[in-house]
Amino acid sequence: MQSDLRAAMPITEAWAYFDHAAVAPLCQPAAEAIQLYATQASHAGDTVWLTWKNGVEHTRRRAAKLLGAKADEITLTTNTTHGINLVAEGLDWLPGDNVVVLCDEFPSNLYPWMHLKSRGVETRLVSTDAGRVDPDKLREACDRRTRLVTFSWIAYGAGERRDIDSFIEVAQECGANGGRGAWVLLDAIQGLGVFPLDVSQTPIDFLSADGHKWLLGPEGAGIAYLREERLEEIRPTGVGWNSVVGCQEFGKIELEFKPSAARFEGGSINMAGQLALGASLGLLLGHDRDEVAAAVLEITDYLCQQLRRHGASIHSHRSCYNNGHDPRSGIVSVSLPGHDPGEIRTRCAAERIAISVREGRLRLSPHAYTTKDEVDHLVSTLPPAP
C-alpha cells in the first residue's frame, strides 16, 4: 500500500513532507485532473461543460462512499469554513440557545458560533488538556438550551483524536431540539482521508472538511455532510440559480429547492478544484481505510520513538484512554528544549523537509506514504538537545 500511494506523490522526489495538517502536496491524479481541465477550458471552452458536471457528480458520489453517506446528503463547498457556516447561519436559532465548542478549536470552528451573539446565542467553551476532553466538563457545559455540540475530530495543534461516540452520547442527553438532544457537527478536516468514518453507524448530524490536507487534494474544494433527516432544519443561504429544481431553466423563476444537500450550492462550482478533489478521493478509496490509518499510526509511533531518543519532548497524548479509545493521529506536537521552533523550521526547510509551527511548538504530520528513512532524515536535521 505504501509504495503504491508513494508513487502517486510527486513531492517525494524533492521533499520529505511532514506538513499534511497544513496544506498537503497534490497527489498526481489531482494534478492531472487540474491540467486536463485547464487544457479543455482553454481549447474547448464550455463545449465540455457537461463532462465537467458529470465529473463533479462523481466527486459527490466518491465523498459519499468515503463517509458511508448517501450522495444526496453531500454538498460541495469551497472549504471547511463554508460547510460550518451552512449550519451556523442556517439553523433557526432562538435567543437563549447555546452552542458548546472546545476552546482549542481552529478559528473556523469558533468564529461562526461567536458571530451568533447578536442573535442571542451563547457560545460555551470547554477547556481541554492538550486536546483531551474531560467528558464531565463537556456534560456540565450542556443543558436543555444546547442546540449544537461541535468539535474537531482531531485537534489541529496537539493532534488528539477525539472519541466521537462519547461526544454524541453527551449531546443526546441534552434537552434541546424538541427533546431530541443537541445535534453534533464534526470538523473532520484533520482526520478525513486517514481514519475510517461511517456516518450510517456514527450518528453525527453534520460534517465539514476541505480537500487540501489528508485528502491530498487542492485548496478551495471541500465537502459537507448533512444528515437526510436534518436537511429541512437548515435554511439555505447563498441561494442562487443552482439551488433549485430545474436549475438550468433560467427563464423559469420558481423557488423550489432541490430535495438534496445540493440545494446549498447556490452558484457555479469550482470545477477544477472539485474535479481534482474527486481524483484524490479516487486514489484514497483505492486503498483500504484501515491500512491507511495503520500506516499513519505506525509512522508517527516511529517518529515519536526517534524524537524521544534525540531528546525532544512529545506533547501529544499517545496512550489509550481507560475505555480503550486510541487518541493517536497523524499530528505530533513536539518541542526541543533550548531551541526556537521557528529557527528549527527554517533549518529543516533548508534541507527540504517541510514542517509547521503551531502553539509555539513544532507540528509534524506525516502521511501513509512517509518512510522511516524520511523520519530519520528529519531527526538528524534537528539541532542537538542541550
Side-chain angles (χ1 to χ4, degrees):
M1 184 277 295
Q2 186 190 59
S3 60
D4 290 343
L5 189 57
R6 189 172 178 83
M9 300 303 300
I11 192 73
T12 59
E13 299 173 10
W15 286 80
Y17 208 86
F18 291 82
D19 206 14
H20 296 86
V23 178
L26 276 181
C27 64
Q28 188 65 35
E32 290 174 355
I34 292 173
Q35 290 162 358
L36 176 60
Y37 171 85
T39 298
Q40 291 176 329
S42 59
H43 289 81
D46 73 353
T47 63
V48 291
W49 189 88
L50 286 178
T51 300
W52 298 337
K53 182 70 168 73
N54 289 336
V56 166
E57 290 307 312
H58 198 39
T59 299
R60 191 189 312 277
R61 291 191 293 272
R62 283 177 166 172
K65 183 177 180 181
L66 184 69
L67 289 170
K70 301 174 184 177
D72 282 352
E73 296 176 307
I74 301 297
T75 187
L76 305 177
T77 64
T78 53
N79 46 53
T80 308
T81 303
H82 180 185
I84 292 172
N85 272 284
L86 291 178
V87 178
E89 296 299 324
L91 270 178
D92 60 337
W93 301 98
L94 298 173
D97 285 344
N98 67 75
V99 56
V100 173
V101 61
L102 307 183
C103 66
D104 62 356
E105 289 292 301
F106 191 75
S108 292
N109 201 26
L110 285 170
Y111 291 143
W113 314 114
M114 296 168 66
H115 186 53
L116 296 172
K117 183 177 180 180
S118 63
R119 294 167 65 177
V121 178
E122 178 188 4
T123 299
R124 296 181 175 178
L125 301 180
V126 178
S127 62
T128 73
D129 170 20
R132 180 164 290 185
V133 182
D134 182 339
D136 290 335
K137 288 185 178 180
L138 182 66
R139 190 170 286 107
E140 289 169 4
C142 298
D143 61 22
R144 63 183 182 83
R145 295 301 303 272
T146 301
R147 292 290 303 281
L148 186 85
V149 175
T150 178
F151 61 100
S152 291
W153 188 1
I154 293 171
Y156 82 98
E160 177 82 0
R161 179 160 47 116
R162 274 68 183 252
D163 183 356
I164 300 174
D165 289 335
S166 69
F167 279 77
I168 294 173
E169 181 181 345
V170 171
Q172 289 178 341
E173 295 172 0
C174 300
N177 298 315
R180 292 169 290 178
W183 291 328
V184 173
L185 184 151
L186 182 69
D187 178 345
I189 192 170
Q190 295 292 5
L192 203 60
V194 172
F195 299 102
L197 176 63
D198 184 346
V199 296
S200 71
Q201 303 299 316
T202 303
I204 59 173
D205 300 285
F206 313 106
L207 174 149
S208 186
D210 205 338
H212 71 272
K213 297 186 187 290
W214 305 92
L215 290 174
L216 307 175
E219 290 187 275
I223 60 171
Y225 159 79
L226 297 95
R227 183 168 293 278
E228 187 175 42
E229 297 86 346
R230 305 289 177 254
L231 188 61
E232 298 301 328
E233 306 285 350
I234 305 298
R235 183 177 187 271
T237 53
V239 172
W241 69 270
N242 201 29
S243 304
V244 300
V245 174
C247 60
Q248 290 179 266
E249 299 176 51
F250 305 127
K252 179 184 177 183
I253 304 302
E254 186 175 330
L255 186 60
E256 180 186 353
F257 290 120
K258 292 176 179 177
S260 69
R263 64 175 60 179
F264 298 102
E265 299 162 17
S268 297
I269 294 292
N270 173 10
M271 288 288 192
Q274 288 294 344
L275 291 169
L277 177 57
S280 63
L281 287 170
L283 172 67
L284 291 167
L285 285 169
H287 296 84
D288 183 87
R289 295 284 86 228
D290 291 326
E291 289 184 9
V292 172
V296 169
L297 295 181
E298 180 182 354
I299 199 66
T300 51
D301 279 347
Y302 181 74
L303 173 62
C304 290
Q305 171 190 309
Q306 298 304 97
L307 287 167
R308 290 189 182 102
R309 287 179 177 175
H310 190 80
S313 298
I314 309 298
H315 300 281
S316 301
H317 293 296
R318 302 287 296 182
S319 299
C320 285
Y321 289 17
N322 291 334
N323 66 0
H325 172 69
D326 188 347
R328 294 176 299 163
S329 73
I331 297 174
V332 178
S333 179
V334 183
S335 64
L336 199 61
H339 294 282
D340 178 76
E343 293 177 358
I344 295 176
R345 178 177 54 189
T346 300
R347 178 175 180 149
C348 286
E351 293 295 321
R352 302 187 76 79
I353 302 169
I355 65 173
S356 274
V357 174
R358 293 291 187 276
E359 300 176 336
R361 295 166 178 159
L362 303 177
R363 187 183 68 178
L364 311 177
S365 50
H367 211 300
Y369 66 86
T370 307
T371 66
K372 290 183 177 179
D373 285 344
E374 288 175 320
V375 170
D376 293 341
H377 179 38
L378 165 62
V379 174
S380 68
T381 301
L382 298 177

